[in-house]
Amino acid sequence: MSVMELRVVTTEVSSTNQDGYRQRRVSRRVFQQDADAEPEPMGCIEFIATAASILLFIITFPISLCLSFKVVQEYERAVIFRLGRLRKGGARGPGIFFILPCIDTYCKVDLRTVSFDVPPQEVLSKDSVTVCVDAVIYYRVREPLAAVVNVNNYSHSTRLLAATTLRNVLGTRNLAEILSEREAISHTMQTALDEATDPWGVKVERVEMKDVRLPLQLQRAMAAEAEAAREARAKVIAAEGEMKASRALKEASDVIAESPAALQLRYLQTLNTISAEKNSTIIFPLPLDIVTPFLGSLTKK
């Protein structure tokens, strides 16, 4: 029986992120068969165990068919070990595959995208403000062999690494950046997690920050600051409105002063507006003809 030699192929790609730091992404493809490697010879105990397993399969036939043939779904892969060694050919599936009873064991790996919530983490920001942040992570298994062989429990390890990365990334940002630059922080976390989980055969597809909870006293201080800013802006707007209204009244008075008839029309319009009210009585103290000479003298002055 030939044994597959494990070889790691590493490709380095340099890039620059949004913060100006130079990053190096390492892409690994593991568990490739070396065609030049000589197969390791089968030991005596392995040969006897394999022969006994085949004999047991023949003796218990056809009952042994139920134990030897396994099926994996389209979204699953099976990693098979024979006497503790990884079998040649890589992961099996989708479909049916054959194992020898007693000496073969297999592990199913789900290739679908999995999401999990990062528990709320209390983080001390760069400007010494304690915030509580939680996030959601989306990942999938890209290399089934690496996910089984290189790490004990890839799901649990990814969850722990996500919580640690969340605290580390937020610790380098101040409060204003945490509140306003969520997309950039999520992208930084995704890049860091993807690079760290690449040897495990795990691909981190997306990271989203769900909620940022601030201390109650800080919320009150920020609310008071926002309210003061709104009041100041409202006063400025009101003052600008008064200034514009004063300019408009001055221009209107200049227009009316140029024409005495316009002043009389404005006087009549005002009387009309007052008479529109219910139960109102209007008394003209003097006829308009008597007031006209006085209006002329006012305009000359």
Side-chain angles (χ1 to χ4, degrees), residues 117-124 130-135 159-160 162-168 170 211-213:
D117 293 328
V118 179
Q121 305 291 320
E122 289 190 357
V123 182
L124 184 64
T130 302
V131 295
C132 187
V133 183
D134 55 354
R159 294 171 186 266
L160 293 179
T164 305
T165 305
L166 178 62
R167 292 194 297 268
N168 293 338
L170 294 181
D211 189 18
V212 179
R213 290 185 289 274

Side-chain angles (χ1 to χ4, degrees), residues 5 7 33-39:
E5 181 177 345
R7 184 179 63 183
Q33 184 179 5
D34 194 344
D36 299 333
E38 296 181 359

Side-chain angles (χ1 to χ4, degrees), residues 28-190:
R28 294 179 176 86
R29 293 295 179 267
V30 296
F31 305 106
Q32 294 183 353
Q33 184 179 5
D34 194 344
D36 299 333
E38 296 181 359
E40 185 177 347
M42 181 184 297
C44 180
I45 298 179
E46 294 180 0
F47 180 80
I48 294 174
T50 304
S53 178
I54 295 175
L55 181 61
L56 179 63
F57 176 80
I58 296 174
I59 293 174
T60 58
F61 187 84
I63 300 176
S64 59
L65 292 177
C66 299
L67 301 176
S68 298
F69 286 98
K70 303 295 180 180
V71 178
V72 291
Q73 303 298 327
E74 181 69 29
Y75 51 85
E76 294 177 334
R77 296 295 183 270
V79 180
I80 306 175
F81 296 91
R82 176 164 293 176
L83 296 175
R85 295 182 179 179
L86 189 65
R87 283 194 60 183
K88 181 180 179 181
R92 303 297 197 277
I96 191 170
F97 62 94
F98 176 81
I99 63 173
L100 287 176
C102 301
I103 64 172
D104 285 351
T105 58
Y106 71 97
C107 179
K108 288 184 179 181
V109 179
D110 198 331
L111 302 182
R112 293 176 293 183
T113 299
V114 180
S115 63
F116 66 90
D117 293 328
V118 179
Q121 305 291 320
E122 289 190 357
V123 182
L124 184 64
S125 63
K126 189 176 180 179
D127 50 354
S128 301
V129 177
T130 302
V131 295
C132 187
V133 183
D134 55 354
V136 58
I137 311 294
Y138 297 87
Y139 75 94
R140 63 179 177 85
V141 176
R142 183 177 56 188
E143 296 287 347
L145 298 180
V148 174
V149 177
N150 289 356
V151 64
N152 182 20
N153 188 336
Y154 67 88
S155 177
H156 182 65
S157 300
T158 304
R159 294 171 186 266
L160 293 179
L161 184 62
T164 305
T165 305
L166 178 62
R167 292 194 297 268
N168 293 338
V169 172
L170 294 181
T172 61
R173 305 295 182 97
N174 54 41
L175 180 61
E177 293 175 347
I178 294 175
L179 295 177
S180 61
E181 300 180 1
R182 293 192 179 187
E183 186 176 355
I185 295 175
S186 300
H187 179 71
T188 303
M189 285 186 57
Q190 179 184 354

